[in-house]
Amino acid sequence: MLRQIEGSHAIAESVARCRPEVVCAYPISPQTHIIEAIGVMVKEGTLAPCEFINVESEFAAMSVSIGASAAGARAYTATASQGLLFMIEAVYNAAGLGLPIVMTLANRAIGAPINIWNDHSDAMAVRDSGWIQLFAETNQEAADLHVQAFRLAEELSVPVMVCMDGFILTHAVEGVDLLDQEQVDRFLPPYEPRQVLDPEDPVSIGAMVGPEAFEEVRYLAHLRQLDALDRIPEIAAEFSEMFGRDSGGLVRPYRLEDAETVIVAMGSVLGTIKDAVDERRDAGERLGVLGITSFRPFPLEAVRQALAGRERVVVVEKAFSLGMGGVLATDVAMAIGTTTLHTVVAGLGGRPITRTALLDMLERARTGRLATLSFLDLDEGVIARERARMATVRRSGPFAENVLRDLGRPREDQA
Amino acid sequence: MSETRVHFYQVGSFAVGNRLLSADERTVQSDRRRTNSIDSGHRACQGCGEALGARYALDAAMRVTSGQLVAVNATGCLEVFSTPFPETSWQIPWLHSLFGNAPAVATGVAAALRVKGRDQVRVVGQAGDGGTVDIGFGTLSGMFERNDDVLFVCYDNEGYMNTGVQRSAATPPTARTATTDAVGPEPGNAFGQGKDVPRIAMAHGIPYVATATVADLHDLERKVERAMSFHGARYLHVFVPCPLGWGAASSETIHVARLAKETGIFPVYEAEYGEVTGVTKIRRQAPVTEYLRLQRRYAHLFGHPGRPDVVARLQAMADANIARYGLLATEEDE
Amino acid sequence: MDRPFAITLDVGTSRANHTGSWRIERPVYVDRLPPCNDACPAGENIQGWLYHAESGDYEAAWRTLVQENPLPAVMGRVCFHPCETACNRVQVDEAVGINAVERFLGDTAIERGWSLPAPGPDTGHTVLVVGAGPAGLSAAYHLRRLGHAVRLVDSSPRLGGMLRYGIPAYRLPRTVLDAEIDRIVALGVQVATEHPVLDIEAEQRAWGADAVFLAVGAQLGKRVHIPAGDSTKVVDAVSFLHQVADDDPPLLGRRVVVYGGGDTAMDAARTARRLGATDAVIVYRRNRDKMPAHPEEVEQALGEGVTVRWLSTVERFEGGRLVLERMRLTPDGLPEPTGEYDELDADALVLALGQDTDLSLLEGAGAVTVSNGVVEVGHQMMTTQPGIFAGGDVAPSERTATVAVGHGKHAARGIDAYLRAETPARPERHALASFDRLNTWYYADAPRTRRPELELVRRQTNFEEVVRGLTEDNALFEARRCLSCGNCFECDNCFGVCPDNAVIKLGPGERYAFNYDFCKGCGICARECPCGAIEMVPERI
């Protein structure tokens, strides 16, 4: 039943219907509404049996989830940004131990400077951790992906992170059709752990593994990710067949048929991009969009097929690797080989990605003026002044502060 | 010609076993059927106090729970020497996650068992002093504050031994470690630092907090048993000498632990809901020098010219413990 | 279950890692000689029988005890217990009351009618034992156990020798003595009392004995010349005590002076008190520190009203008055006359100045060497004449009943070897379990139990036994004070303190074994063994 609902609440209800048994909560914006809502459900008894644990840090949140999962419980938590980084050691550990924890990542920038708004830097920081990372374009997809995530995680004994853009999705009220309990139960069988801490069958979990076997352990984990490349579309197909709705999968093509230029992106920005593409398509430009749903495992083959023979690929991404460039773009580059590839870094720290800016960028691409790496809506003036200052003052101090000071100062040249 | 009946069992109060006691009055360790929670073949150094302490504590917990126990282990010596692939020494269900998260992982295990309706299975978290008082302190305090149903055991060997004997917040003043070397005008670890986690645990008001040493098995086992009689967060701080890190002979492990208690350096007591309820009295009081001289980590305090002033400060610390906890037996105790 | 590779491991896998290869020293279990056993003249395995007594198995304790000594109820009263002097527990609090427990076991055996082990299979040999004192009785017992026929002869009407005729009944009740002697005789000892032996070789031939054990004791009181008037009464203590034992005490009057400072002097003075002497005064030439009598005896005598004239010698005795010369001690501790005199009223003077042996029976046995009034004996108590053995007070010794019991045992073993024409094997003697090998931490603090004593007023008037036995509780307590020096008593310490679970507990009475597959040689077991029964030895490379 379609309902107008805040994204966070949609996720909370969706997760609740997955019958999580241990849920850890540590507040960090913009994930808080999800956890708050689950907390209410546990406290009022509508979600039971479930242990809702208010932990003292994200590190503890993931650690409690590890313990709960290893002891055979379906475990869920949510975080964002700094929180993800604070738990990062445990994030790797959960994957290493093969524990099928599901976590919502309400994507948010990473400081300093501290910034609560959306980008994908947090998700990129753990891309090598061994977690499956699925990116939702809409709240509908986010809600559906959580149901699929538990199924996927538990089938493969791999933790799954459902990434949704902080505020843009989490705090957006829009129509979402949530599966009811009966539907979820039909799709998601009870958790049967691959291994469990049990006095009747004692095992030691978490051994120290040296050079003699570590590489094999890692390779096996990689193969498990490759297994996911098969299972993700299968599960999405099953979901679609059961509920009549396309959610998930590896990639999401849009108007690719005859596209010469393809924009690649992840998350909610795809909606804006599609609007921009539609506008220019109307003007006769042959543009298409490829949304990446499964960032890890990265669907190299699907991306290759989608982008094969295109004239130009533009990756618009909300994160980048300092000193290198695009993160998603690097992966895309690996898939497409020689096609001209542009990386457009956009929306960092929550900066709006406007249709205007996108159209401007596409125009530059068409006319060959788009750099290999560019930053959407970058204030070149600020950059130039700070660079100049840094060149003259050897110890120029933290440039973030300088930039703020610079932006706050009334300036003749801008007046 | 009056005679009083005296129950006296030769070594019953102090040795591990006693053939004169009935089976149920003997220690767990005297029982051939003890679990040996940590099995032979582990790679702990000769005379490792932590290996011993872990077996003592877990075997006792296994007896109390009739074998319904799960252990969670922080990274550290205990974890490394017990589970190098492809061999594990643990005979009980055991989980290792990270260095600083054992209390939280234990919380998770306890939560899972509760939600699964397996309340009879109890959870023990364990770590060395680094994993407890330093890197794991946040999760430990969180677990205490929530009063999660976990017995957390710290095996305190007063330093980071696994990584090569570096200082921890449990390293005592003047002790030499790799990061507090015995050089310069004030050799060894600084005075006035460190963290008294048993007292901090008490400040959380949790049901049970106790200290113990590997030198007094009866006391340790009784405390584990007492701890397991409570639900909620419990903390047991066990003093476990490290022959390697302390520069003591491997045969002296128990002797050194005994002296730590008999000098007052390590007060042995227990507390319930934040109040001290019992103190294990000093039986044969010894000066701190007797304890210090057995360990090369204090060697710079002796010899020529030595540091009698520093030794006096350590003695004063021991005396302060004795006064604070009332460690000396009085007439009434006898 | 399908376990994740490498990260998850199965129980029991570490046992593939044999950490024993790390070892440079290995622990080994040893048995060491406890100082009590070492000090016991009768060669008792004291630690061994206390072990059984600790668990309340008194019969097993007694059976262990009588392997060496058939007279525990007697020795539990008259022995001066050098074992307790040697006891390591002295350095913890006080010695274990071994003697009291021995007496408890002896009395319990009598009360419950336990019998001695049966005689060994008949060897066809006969041994003549001359003298039925502690040495002779001990020899007779051990010879019977070895299967030899025994002829036991004694000049007195009853068996027991000095136990009966020298030790007053208030120290050794005759019912106790009789019970233990009867038990030995019941093993098939052929006894002839009131049978003085005048010629040892003739006696041997008469009995057709293959060997002889000579244990006639030292029955002659030493006499010194003391000028004395006709009316004075001077007796020697040995005769005096013998007469009392025969229920024919001499009349000594109300003021009795005993001359001498040994245990016999104490016995004589205390006996005199019981016979009605108002004054029983011991005259001794040195001071209390130098007095040879055992301090307990002195204490009891003083407690009963016996007084002592220290640093005095008897000069002469005339007309109911003794003249004493005061002595002083030289820096070497020797008495020297001062020329000053005291007087002391006395009705009788009892001389307790030591005893001599009567060896006239050896006159026909020319090859037996006698020197300084005693018979020379060698290894296994054989005299210089093959086949003739000697022990007890006739052999060089401290002349105590316990030494005599030990002599009897050694002689029996020597005779057995002689008769079998074997060289007796000397049992391997373990190294001493000295105090420094103990870890006394593990022993609970427990001061010794005092044996109750008879009220003073009753002691002065009759021959009731002065020192009472322990109750069972107290005996048990006392037994449990034993430190079991140098011998495993299964305290489980090694089993418990091994960080590598490398000690195997074999079960009650079976002790432990090391699992050298896993023992890393840390040495904690040896360090924490309470009784020093584990040694670290260099590993064989």
Side-chain angles (χ1 to χ4, degrees), chain A residues 158-277:
Chain A
V158 178
V160 178
M161 196 180 298
V162 179
C163 302
M164 61 190 295
D165 289 321
F167 294 110
I168 298 170
L169 291 181
T170 56
H171 287 56
V173 177
E174 55 188 33
V176 179
D177 184 4
L178 290 176
L179 299 183
D180 62 24
Q181 188 64 63
E182 180 273 327
Q183 288 173 309
V184 174
D185 286 346
R186 204 145 38 90
F187 183 78
L188 178 64
Y191 174 36
E192 278 181 31
R194 184 179 177 199
Q195 60 175 1
V196 67
L197 293 165
D198 182 2
E200 306 312 316
D201 181 23
V203 289
S204 298
I205 301 176
M208 175 172 147
V209 179
E212 69 280 13
F214 192 85
E215 197 167 301
E216 285 71 21
V217 169
R218 271 289 171 267
Y219 185 63
L220 286 165
H222 174 65
L223 290 180
R224 199 48 70 97
Q225 291 271 328
L226 299 187
D227 292 342
L229 284 178
D230 294 333
R231 286 304 289 147
I232 289 167
E234 286 166 11
I235 287 171
E238 201 180 319
F239 186 93
S240 169
E241 192 177 327
M242 211 176 268
F243 308 119
R245 187 162 61 234
D246 281 334
S247 284
L250 298 173
V251 294
R252 198 157 285 272
Y254 180 76
R255 303 188 81 167
L256 279 188
E257 314 78 47
D258 57 346
E260 289 166 351
T261 296
V262 178
I263 322 296
V264 179
M266 300 194 295
S268 62
V269 73
L270 283 165
T272 320
I273 292 171
K274 285 175 189 170
D275 288 348
V277 165

Side-chain angles (χ1 to χ4, degrees), chain C residues 4 29 117 119 134 141 154 215 224 232 259 287 291 315 336-337 355 370 374 414 425 459 464 482 495 508 516 519 533:
Chain C
Y29 289 107
Y141 164 71
D154 196 282
V224 291
T232 57
Y259 190 22
N287 62 14
M291 197 179 219
E315 179 66 17
E336 63 179 7
Q355 287 126 265
V370 175
V374 288
R459 282 200 244 163
E464 209 175 312
C482 174
F495 180 62
Y516 293 114
C519 166

